[in-house]
Amino acid sequence: MTLTEKDSQYLWHPYTQHKTAQTPIAISRGEGALLWDENGKEYIDAIASWWVNPFGHSNKFIADAVYKQLTTLEHVLFGGFTHEPAIKVAEKLIEILPKNQQKIFFSDNGSTAVEVAIKVALQYFFNKNEKRTTIIAFENAFHGDTFAAMAASGISFYTQAFQGMFIDVVRIPVPIKGQEQASFDALTNVIQNHNCAGFIFEPLVQGAAGMVMYEPEALAKLIQICAANKVLTIADEVMTGFGKTGKTFAMDYVSEEPDMICLSKALTGGTIPMAITTFTQDIFDAFYDDDINKALFHGHTFTANPTGCAAVLASIDLLQTAEMQANIERINASHLEFQKKIENHSKVITARTLGVIFAVEIKSDSEESYYGSMRTKLYNFFIENGVVLRPVGNIVYILPPYIMTNEQLQKVYKIIEEAIEMV
């Protein structure tokens, strides 16, 4: 049996209707920005495998750090114990995060990083004997698939089977250019009419919504409104963190600082599942008490896994090299050139770029659904041509590994141009 035949016999894939979906492609190896399937066909991974591999596949620097840690201490429980790799990760992150972030809490993926943040926001006020039970989120947000993270997400087909089972979430419009005031007014109105504990947002770029972008000044204003009303703010940097927007964190563009930050995906360079939620000292202090019931009763078996911590440290070291920073600038400049080339195309609605993120919205004769016919046609075309891209409806985005060559980028652009002509 081939790998794909065995897959069909045993495996259940994410976001997949197996009755109608095409057979998954069996990948046998990866190197740099490239993947090869079991038949030897080569693919350019233009989305860094769901945004987690900024330094490419089979990165030797990270692999060596992981191997060294595996032969020293692969794992130890984090309840009642600690270890040097976790402490080094905390020290390294505190250096590069917004200055108000002082405490580090480990978990194991982006959804759980968000889950922790939302639980902390709600319990923060519970510990202070205040009844605040509402979370504010953007329309069309995506924050993950665990229950609180799913509740905060606004893409309906992810959540429709669970309506009526969620925590209280109220949505406000995204402050896209020209519609900022509507977002400010909506936030003010929600705070006035609900007992709001926290506001969670994807800073500057809504990933799963199709790389919807908005300005730092608008986000700063929203954070100011929350701060004036003692509503905690949660920056979900699971997608945007570690260089994607051109700076280490998207919040580095914003004049205001959030109370919490959620990190995962590129945190370990795509090697090991790990996540972190960071907090201000004030938030930690609300849980620091003689009363055991005020503790944060949340944990994961692999919390602060030393091997994952070694991957984090290696990934941050790579990100901070002059070479990697130059690569990010090079890709951004290349994206901007491509944007200029196609944004006035008759079949293009808009094109936009931030850091290494590029998105183009293609005109359609009908309203395109998330997994609609245009998306399927585009996806199949890209795969046939050896490029891994996952369109969101009629929006095609690129979010490449930072080590992608100019030649590989040009091939991705060429295939996207051909796809625009095809639809």
Side-chain angles (χ1 to χ4, degrees):
M1 292 176 71
T2 65
L3 289 178
T4 52
E5 288 169 341
K6 290 180 180 179
D7 177 285
S8 177
Q9 185 172 351
Y10 301 119
L11 300 181
W12 192 344
H13 286 261
Y15 310 122
T16 300
Q17 174 47 265
H18 279 267
K19 186 171 184 179
T20 58
Q22 290 181 300
T23 305
I25 298 164
I27 298 299
S28 57
R29 68 184 181 96
E31 183 178 343
L34 300 176
L35 298 166
W36 287 268
D37 68 19
E38 63 179 335
N39 299 313
K41 182 176 178 178
E42 180 182 283
Y43 303 84
I44 298 174
D45 186 355
I47 57 169
S49 284
W50 267 340
W51 326 332
V52 303
N53 288 89
F55 313 112
H57 296 281
S58 305
N59 185 283
K60 190 174 186 303
F61 184 77
I62 301 175
D64 287 346
V66 167
Y67 174 76
K68 183 178 178 181
Q69 187 60 51
L70 279 170
T71 56
T72 306
L73 175 67
E74 78 299 334
H75 183 68
V76 65
L77 70 163
F78 211 55
F81 294 86
T82 192
H83 50 80
E84 186 178 28
I87 293 166
K88 283 186 172 181
V89 166
E91 289 176 333
K92 179 69 79 172
L93 283 174
I94 294 300
E95 284 178 11
I96 62 177
L97 285 163
K99 297 305 179 189
N100 68 338
Q101 300 298 297
Q102 295 297 315
K103 293 292 181 181
I104 304 292
F105 191 95
F106 287 91
S107 59
D108 52 9
N109 61 57
S111 295
T112 53
V114 168
E115 201 82 9
V116 169
I118 292 175
K119 286 177 71 173
V120 165
L122 296 170
Q123 189 177 340
Y124 174 89
F125 291 103
F126 178 85
N127 284 358
K128 290 177 174 290
N129 296 313
E130 286 188 54
K131 186 176 176 59
R132 296 206 187 192
T133 57
T134 298
I135 298 295
I136 308 162
F138 281 139
E139 295 169 355
N140 294 319
F142 181 77
H143 296 290
D145 295 324
T146 53
F147 250 75
M150 188 167 50
S153 299
I155 301 173
S156 62
F157 60 83
Y158 285 121
T159 62
Q160 60 189 10
F162 310 101
Q163 294 303 314
M165 308 177 198
F166 291 140
I167 59 173
D168 183 29
V169 175
V170 179
R171 305 196 182 284
I172 63 171
V174 182
I176 57 175
K177 204 157 193 173
Q179 298 180 35
E180 295 91 344
Q181 192 59 49
S183 186
F184 305 155
D185 292 344
L187 178 61
T188 302
N189 182 62
V190 169
I191 292 173
Q192 288 173 348
N193 290 284
H194 296 80
N195 293 319
C196 297
F199 167 44
I200 185 167
F201 52 86
E202 298 159 90
L204 308 190
V205 188
Q206 285 191 298
M211 303 300 167
V212 174
M213 300 179 185
Y214 61 101
E215 297 300 315
E217 295 76 16
L219 181 55
K221 176 68 174 176
L222 293 172
I223 294 173
Q224 288 168 357
I225 294 169
C226 287
N229 291 277
K230 295 183 170 52
V231 174
L232 299 175
T233 49
I234 304 166
D236 179 355
E237 292 245 21
V238 169
M239 187 275 283
T240 54
F242 303 103
K244 311 278 183 45
T245 64
K247 296 195 176 188
T248 303
F249 302 106
M251 289 306 303
D252 291 339
Y253 288 97
V254 184
S255 60
E256 301 295 322
E257 296 173 329
D259 298 296
M260 302 174 237
I261 300 176
C262 304
L263 305 170
S264 191
K265 289 197 181 290
L267 177 66
T268 66
T271 55
I272 295 173
M274 177 171 273
I276 285 172
T277 311
T278 72
F279 304 95
T280 63
Q281 186 67 41
D282 174 68
I283 290 177
F284 177 83
D285 289 345
F287 292 74
Y288 188 80
D289 199 278
D290 291 326
D291 183 355
I292 185 66
N293 294 310
K294 289 189 175 180
L296 176 60
F297 285 103
H298 189 103
H300 299 267
T301 305
F302 286 94
T303 293
N305 170 256
T307 312
C309 289
V312 172
L313 292 168
S315 295
I316 294 174
D317 284 347
L318 276 176
L319 178 64
Q320 293 179 325
T321 62
E323 178 185 4
M324 209 59 66
Q325 291 299 310
N327 281 347
I328 291 170
E329 292 177 9
R330 169 180 60 82
I331 292 170
N332 173 256
S334 184
H335 282 352
L336 288 170
E337 281 187 25
F338 183 53
Q339 176 181 330
K340 189 181 296 184
K341 180 180 180 182
I342 68 163
E343 62 187 350
N344 294 318
H345 191 288
S346 61
K347 291 187 177 182
V348 169
I349 299 173
T350 60
R352 47 191 177 270
T353 300
L354 181 63
V356 303
I357 305 167
F358 169 86
V360 57
E361 188 171 356
I362 303 170
K363 287 181 182 177
S364 173
D365 293 333
S366 60
E367 187 173 335
E368 280 298 314
S369 64
Y370 207 88
Y371 285 104
S373 59
M374 177 182 277
R375 182 265 176 202
T376 301
K377 186 177 182 181
L378 287 167
Y379 175 77
N380 291 340
F381 180 79
F382 297 139
I383 291 297
E384 287 166 11
N385 284 276
V387 177
V388 179
L389 291 166
R390 285 181 65 90
V392 178
N394 62 326
I395 298 169
V396 176
Y397 71 86
I398 310 169
L399 207 166
Y402 308 155
I403 48 75
M404 183 175 281
T405 66
N406 288 332
E407 182 182 6
Q408 290 165 345
L409 267 176
Q410 292 305 318
K411 179 178 178 181
V412 173
Y413 297 151
K414 179 175 179 291
I415 296 301
I416 290 175
E417 286 186 275
E418 290 176 7
I420 291 171
E421 296 295 341
M422 173 196 71
V423 296

